Amino acid sequence: MKKHFLLLFMLLASLEFFAQAPVISNKKFSLGSYGRAGIAYSLGAPNSEFPQSLNLNGMGSIGGRFEENDYFELITAMHLSPTIASKDTTKINVQARFAFYTTQGQLIGNVSNKSIGGITTALPELFAEANNIMGSDWSVWIGARLYRNDDIHNIDHYYFDDHSGQGVGIKHKNTQFSVIFAGSIDTTSTLPPNFYLNIVNGTPTLGLRNRYISTLEHSIITKKGYVKLLGEFQRLPSGTTQDATTKYNYPADFGYVFGAKYQTSLATKLAGSFNAISARYGAGIANGGDGGSSKTFITYGGPNLRTNSFRNAYSLALTETFLLNLNKNYSLNGYALYTKSRGASDSLNTTTDYLGKQKLFNRKQDIAFGARGTWYIKNWLHLLHEFDMTWRKDGTQDFAQMTKFSIAPTLVPTSERSVWARPHIRFVYSIAHYNDFAANHLYSPYLTQSGVKSWGQYIGAKVEWWVF
């Protein structure tokens, strides 16, 4: 009898021991962050404590980003080592990125996920990668990631190779190939070409077609920089076959992209100066690049309503950006951008979506150039000043035009004389002038808020940081 009790006690004790939750002891862990927050006013506008961007409609932060709303990212990464570390030099990382922002311009500290239009959360990155496998030139990754390289920082614009999404990629030396699955989360949209109506039991039900993006990139290293070549192929499967006779049965479609970028370092008194130019052409469903984004898979314009396809759509994007660290007291960071896009409809002005409900512009042009100067008054005090000019033409309308000047005295606690030093604690003042067409047609979020005006003003106190 005692033996039975002893066995039962040992069994229960072992179950208790093995049921313990593991205590995390991994020390190979990294934490990073990007964020911005602050308070501001739209001078001369009602509800001025909810300030709106001075930039033109449809251009996002192109025209200057000092008015961007609160945003926060927390990035975590685990670093793993091979079992036989002396023989295997593979670098293994698992990374997750959490993003938090508001959708209606509220201060991020005053709302929660229970508020109307409150905090939105996203997980733009959740991936694992193995670099230099077994000491070789091969690397691989899989998962969701912000798969992109350099941006034009002044306008928050990833201008050439933004393939962010969920997929898999492989790299050998300077050549990389990836397959991305891109879909939209807005399942209430009727905009082409991602959505279709699936006729189930005689009832139209909105469906979502996923898009498959294959990318091939190759970098040619030069003496002072590199040339990057880009190719994409995008395929959209056909819609439902259950209703093969109506306009809701959309055929499969495709698109392609090719482009080139050249970046070179420049010799100046302080290191870090560079110049970069790029040209990119997208055709078919790969003609995206609007709203301040350069993602080719966000298709622009309307379809050809006779074929329900985007075969004749296209987009051309040209960019130039530079940084000149002229001396220990001054740096100049500038850019220029031109984008011309057209949908597949025959219209040069507006067209309809697949369902004939929404009016879409089928042709547009974006033009922008600007520069930000940084005067290093002290190691810890920088004076940022920026000048931007932008033009936007939708359809056959006249060009809307904005000219903006911003000044931002900035405290830099790290006391680093660099345009990349962070955190920044800024006092920001921006003033913008609009041409008659932009003012009369309220062609800016600020003008939508304030009414017809030739001038707009924005004032605020902001902080921005990054740690990677």
Side-chain angles (χ1 to χ4, degrees):
M1 189 68 176
K2 292 182 178 180
K3 291 183 178 180
H4 290 127
F5 279 118
L6 181 61
L7 289 173
L8 180 60
F9 175 78
M10 292 176 64
L11 176 61
L12 292 175
S14 64
L15 289 175
E16 178 69 18
F17 174 78
F18 288 113
Q20 293 292 326
V23 177
I24 305 302
S25 60
N26 174 36
K27 297 181 180 179
K28 297 179 179 180
F29 180 81
S30 297
L31 189 67
S33 177
Y34 169 79
R36 57 181 184 262
I39 57 173
Y41 290 92
S42 288
L43 299 181
N47 298 323
S48 60
E49 67 275 15
F50 295 102
Q52 299 298 314
S53 172
L54 299 171
N55 295 339
L56 295 177
N57 289 343
M59 298 190 72
S61 293
I62 296 175
R65 64 183 298 181
F66 282 127
E67 302 110 59
E68 286 184 328
N69 290 329
D70 297 351
Y71 181 82
F72 175 65
E73 285 182 353
L74 182 65
I75 309 154
T76 61
M78 296 178 291
H79 313 289
L80 311 177
S81 299
T83 303
I84 309 175
S86 60
K87 295 183 179 180
D88 188 350
T89 58
T90 307
K91 298 177 181 177
I92 307 166
N93 303 302
V94 179
Q95 180 165 306
R97 183 184 302 242
F98 307 88
F100 306 87
Y101 54 93
T102 62
T103 58
Q104 296 181 8
Q106 309 99 315
L107 300 179
I108 199 168
N110 293 345
V111 293
S112 70
N113 61 340
K114 296 181 179 179
S115 306
I116 297 175
I119 292 179
T120 296
T121 60
L123 193 64
E125 285 195 330
L126 183 62
F127 71 92
E129 63 178 1
N131 296 320
N132 303 115
I133 299 172
M134 295 292 291
S136 70
D137 294 318
W138 290 93
S139 301
V140 65
W141 65 270
I142 188 168
R145 70 183 304 178
L146 296 178
Y147 193 48
R148 59 197 187 188
N149 284 305
D150 300 328
D151 69 335
I152 301 176
H153 175 73
N154 293 1
I155 56 175
D156 201 6
H157 184 64
Y158 289 84
Y159 56 93
F160 183 67
D161 52 5
D162 191 351
H163 306 128
S164 300
Q166 188 154 331
V168 61
I170 188 169
K171 180 179 180 180
H172 182 257
K173 293 185 178 179
N174 298 324
T175 303
Q176 51 190 355
F177 174 78
S178 64
V179 177
I180 308 294
F181 284 24
S184 175
I185 60 172
D186 184 8
T187 54
T188 63
S189 175
T190 62
L191 297 182
N194 291 326
F195 295 92
Y196 65 97
L197 286 188
N198 185 9
I199 308 299
V200 179
N201 297 326
T203 303
T205 303
L206 201 62
L208 173 66
R209 291 190 287 176
N210 212 348
R211 183 185 303 224
Y212 311 96
I213 306 166
S214 301
T215 70
L216 180 64
E217 300 168 86
H218 178 70
S219 296
I220 303 169
I221 306 302
T222 64
K223 186 176 180 179
K224 293 185 177 182
Y226 64 89
V227 175
K228 184 173 185 179
L229 305 177
L230 167 68
E232 296 180 24
F233 179 78
Q234 301 182 15
R235 182 177 181 274
L236 194 67
S238 60
T240 176
T241 59
Q242 298 181 34
D243 182 32
T245 60
T246 74
K247 63 180 180 180
Y248 302 133
N249 184 260
Y250 308 137
D253 214 340
F254 69 91
Y256 61 86
V257 176
F258 58 84
K261 171 187 172 183
Y262 174 58
Q263 180 160 325
T264 183
S265 60
L266 301 176
T268 52
K269 289 186 177 181
L270 291 182
S273 299
F274 68 87
N275 185 69
I277 59 173
S278 74
R280 192 185 69 187
Y281 180 83
I285 62 171
N287 75 333
D290 196 22
S293 169
S294 71
K295 294 176 181 177
T296 59
F297 54 84
I298 303 178
T299 305
Y300 173 81
N304 183 315
L305 295 177
R306 295 188 301 274
T307 63
N308 282 340
S309 77
F310 276 79
R311 295 295 167 84
N312 296 322
Y314 69 86
S315 180
L316 173 67
L318 308 174
T319 67
E320 153 71 25
T321 182
F322 65 87
L323 171 63
L324 297 174
N325 292 319
L326 297 174
N327 53 53
K328 67 176 184 178
N329 296 319
Y330 198 82
S331 295
L332 185 66
N333 190 191
Y335 71 92
L337 174 150
Y338 175 74
T339 303
K340 183 176 182 179
S341 304
R342 182 171 175 178
S345 170
D346 294 332
S347 172
L348 297 178
N349 191 32
T350 59
T351 185
T352 61
D353 63 7
Y354 281 140
L355 305 182
K357 293 182 177 180
Q358 297 193 39
K359 283 285 186 179
L360 310 171
F361 282 108
N362 196 56
R363 185 178 66 162
K364 63 103 175 178
Q365 292 184 71
D366 295 328
I367 304 171
F369 65 83
R372 178 189 295 181
T374 302
W375 176 20
Y376 307 112
I377 300 173
K378 299 285 187 180
N379 290 343
W380 52 269
L381 177 61
H382 301 174
L383 183 62
L384 280 56
H385 43 287
E386 182 171 320
F387 178 78
D388 301 275
M389 296 187 72
T390 58
W391 292 260
R392 169 83 175 200
K393 182 179 177 67
D394 287 308
T396 57
Q397 295 181 155
D398 294 336
F399 273 101
Q401 195 275 327
M402 181 205 71
T403 301
K404 182 167 68 172
F405 176 75
S406 300
I407 188 166
T410 301
L411 297 178
V412 184
T414 59
S415 295
E416 181 183 1
R417 293 192 176 218
S418 169
V419 298
W420 311 120
R422 293 298 185 277
H424 271 186
I425 300 171
R426 306 171 182 151
F427 172 80
V428 177
Y429 173 74
S430 296
I431 183 169
H433 179 264
Y434 304 96
N435 70 353
D436 289 343
F437 180 84
N440 294 332
H441 291 80
L442 306 180
Y443 236 74
S444 165
Y446 171 84
L447 293 173
T448 301
Q449 180 188 38
S450 66
V452 177
K453 289 179 180 291
S454 295
W455 295 89
Q457 298 181 77
Y458 179 99
I459 190 170
K462 300 291 187 86
V463 62
E464 182 186 46
W465 70 89
W466 58 62
V467 179
F468 298 117

